[in-house]
Amino acid sequence: MAAALRMLQLHQCPVRRFSLTWLGWCEHFYWVESMLRSQRFKDIQEFEVYAYRPIPLSVISFLPVLRVLCICICSGIEFPAETTCTLSFPGLKQLTLANVNMSETNLQGVLSSCPVLESLLLDGNIGCRRLQISSLTLRNLGVSDGARGIEGKLEELIIKDAPLLERLIPRLPSYGLVIRVIQAPKLKTLGYLHDDIRTLELGTMVFEKMVPVSLSNMMRTVKILALLTAPNLDLVTGFLKCFPCVEKLYIVSYTRMIFKNVQSYAPLECLDRHLKKLQIVNYEKRSDINFIKFFVLHARVLESMKFVVRHGNCDAKWVARQHKKLQVNDRASRGARFDFEASQWSSSSVHMKHIHDLSMDPFDGSLCRCHGDAFL
């Protein structure tokens, strides 16, 4: 730490971005506080803290011109009410809070102090069981409720009014989480959806553990959909009926049971007119053949289908066998490309940095360079 302080003392220019990974104890954090109070930090735009032990959060109260704030505490930390009352972030556009202990009142206070907030990630926090969000500026929202069985974790998220919201990403874990979206007319990106989400309401559509129970309407704005599910053709085609304009479909497949997936084709707007990209993660030839073959034979405007294989070397002979089993020569879209990739990294976790970045597809693993990051 002393070496870092000496380096900053030599750096006489104004500091615009500061990222700190803190391994020390709370009582030593005064070094950081004194540094942040200096004139060189008065116009700081981005501040990130990744800490393995609790730190005093009073440090952020004197950083009023921030545009990006990220607080990730590995061991959890309480966000005191007196700190909340003094906060004001008139220019803050991106906020990440992970493993923070904060009551509903305090969290609402923090959000109300950010009048131009565009991107919000709440990851594994405790103390707030129910959160209602209304924001005229919010475009990105990521949320998880923390590990199973934690007392005080988030149980219900209500998006009452978010006219600009484009991206809703429930991150794992989300055990028993209830998500209700009342008004989000511009929602384009959704996922990963999985059966640990107890209830998902999107307007008048209601899903219980991914099973539709009320489908009085469709959501045509969604273009990118990501699902964590067994290779269940009835379930996936059901989602495509609810979101008929999906252009990119990501499926992380897991096998709890074997589905026959024998289904006669009934016209689907999504497959006939919109679906251009399909990615299957955890491809297994034993359980996924009929499931994937359905898309090969019926997705008429498909441009690419990618298979991420956790086990296997994907050599030319193996790929040729898969092409034959999947009837690639009989594909509905003659221009479709089929790629197989062996990867040990095949996860349904969306990196927090990707949630905030509207310029990239958050589910496209080929764009990710964050696998080694300590905080996901």
Side-chain angles (χ1 to χ4, degrees):
M1 186 64 194
L5 286 172
R6 284 196 299 271
M7 182 181 68
L8 286 168
Q9 288 169 355
L10 294 174
H11 179 79
Q12 297 301 317
C13 297
V15 177
R16 293 288 182 260
R17 181 180 185 274
F18 187 59
S19 181
L20 172 68
T21 299
W22 179 256
L23 304 178
W25 296 100
C26 176
E27 57 266 26
H28 297 147
F29 203 76
Y30 69 89
W31 289 344
V32 178
E33 288 198 54
S34 62
M35 180 176 60
L36 292 176
R37 290 179 186 273
S38 72
Q39 282 295 106
R40 282 173 296 153
F41 283 82
K42 68 182 181 66
D43 295 322
I44 188 171
Q45 301 290 301
E46 301 182 26
F47 182 52
E48 299 177 346
V49 177
Y50 302 94
Y52 289 84
R53 297 185 179 95
I55 61 171
L57 289 178
S58 57
V59 67
I60 65 174
S61 62
F62 45 84
L63 300 174
V65 298
L66 284 177
R67 294 171 61 87
V68 176
L69 175 61
C70 175
I71 301 175
C72 298
I73 311 297
C74 190
S75 61
I77 185 171
E78 185 173 359
F79 209 113
E82 57 270 22
T83 299
T84 306
C85 296
T86 62
L87 293 180
S88 177
F89 297 118
L92 192 70
K93 294 193 173 184
Q94 179 179 310
L95 174 63
T96 299
L97 296 174
N99 298 321
V100 172
N101 187 341
M102 183 185 302
S103 70
E104 178 182 345
T105 300
N106 287 353
L107 182 52
Q108 293 285 9
V110 170
L111 297 181
S112 65
S113 72
C114 309
V116 296
L117 189 66
E118 295 181 357
S119 189
L120 173 65
L121 173 58
L122 302 172
D123 194 58
N125 302 306
I126 60 173
C128 177
R129 296 178 181 270
R130 182 179 183 272
L131 178 63
Q132 180 171 294
I133 293 177
S134 292
S135 172
L136 298 178
T137 59
L138 193 66
R139 300 175 67 191
N140 289 332
L141 177 59
V143 62
S144 81
D145 66 358
R148 191 191 302 269
I150 290 182
E151 182 67 25
K153 67 186 183 71
L154 184 65
E155 297 175 1
E156 183 178 14
L157 172 67
I158 302 172
I159 303 171
K160 184 177 181 181
D161 185 22
L164 298 184
L165 186 67
E166 299 179 29
R167 182 178 289 181
L168 175 59
I169 300 183
R171 298 182 83 230
L172 293 173
S174 298
Y175 299 115
L177 184 62
V178 174
I179 301 175
R180 307 186 196 278
V181 181
I182 299 173
Q183 187 75 6
K186 293 189 176 182
L187 189 64
K188 296 179 181 178
T189 302
L190 179 63
Y192 279 95
L193 302 183
H194 49 89
D195 59 11
D196 281 334
I197 300 174
R198 192 177 77 196
T199 302
L200 173 65
E201 294 184 10
L202 298 168
T204 58
M205 294 192 299
V206 181
F207 302 86
E208 300 283 353
K209 290 184 173 292
M210 291 189 76
V211 177
V213 296
S214 176
L215 297 176
S216 59
N217 207 343
M218 297 182 294
M219 185 170 280
R220 305 186 69 87
T221 58
V222 173
K223 307 297 184 184
I224 303 175
L225 178 65
L227 305 174
L228 172 60
T229 177
N232 182 342
L233 194 55
D234 289 335
L235 184 145
V236 174
T237 55
F239 269 94
L240 296 183
K241 292 175 184 176
C242 299
F243 306 103
C245 298
V246 165
E247 297 176 358
K248 296 181 180 180
L249 176 61
Y250 295 88
I251 298 174
V252 174
S253 175
Y254 63 85
T255 304
R256 288 181 178 171
M257 61 183 71
I258 303 298
F259 294 87
K260 292 183 178 180
N261 288 322
V262 178
Q263 186 181 101
S264 58
Y265 181 69
L268 280 174
E269 179 184 343
C270 182
L271 298 188
D272 290 342
R273 299 173 56 185
H274 301 292
L275 187 65
K276 296 178 181 179
K277 177 178 180 178
L278 173 61
Q279 177 172 296
I280 307 290
V281 177
N282 296 338
Y283 169 72
E284 294 183 13
K285 59 182 181 296
R286 179 175 63 93
S287 59
D288 295 354
I289 291 294
N290 285 340
F291 176 76
I292 296 170
K293 193 162 61 175
F294 179 85
F295 294 95
V296 172
L297 299 178
H298 300 298
R300 299 180 182 277
V301 296
L302 192 68
E303 296 176 359
S304 70
M305 185 179 289
K306 182 177 180 179
F307 306 87
V308 180
V309 185
R310 292 189 64 182
H311 304 288
N313 56 13
C314 294
D315 60 25
K317 289 184 178 180
W318 185 87
V319 170
R321 288 197 298 270
Q322 306 314 305
H323 278 205
K324 184 176 181 180
K325 291 177 180 179
L326 295 171
Q327 296 181 225
V328 167
N329 289 338
D330 298 324
R331 60 191 180 275
S333 175
R334 303 311 300 173
R337 185 179 69 254
F338 297 83
D339 298 311
F340 290 82
E341 174 186 298
S343 174
Q344 295 301 314
W345 182 265
S346 51
S347 171
S348 55
S349 178
V350 179
H351 197 286
M352 59 177 61
K353 292 180 180 178
H354 299 174
I355 294 175
H356 292 302
D357 188 355
L358 270 176
S359 68
M360 71 175 295
D361 181 342
F363 309 116
D364 190 342
S366 66
L367 303 176
C368 180
R369 300 294 181 267
C370 308
H371 300 330
D373 285 11
F375 292 85
L376 295 176

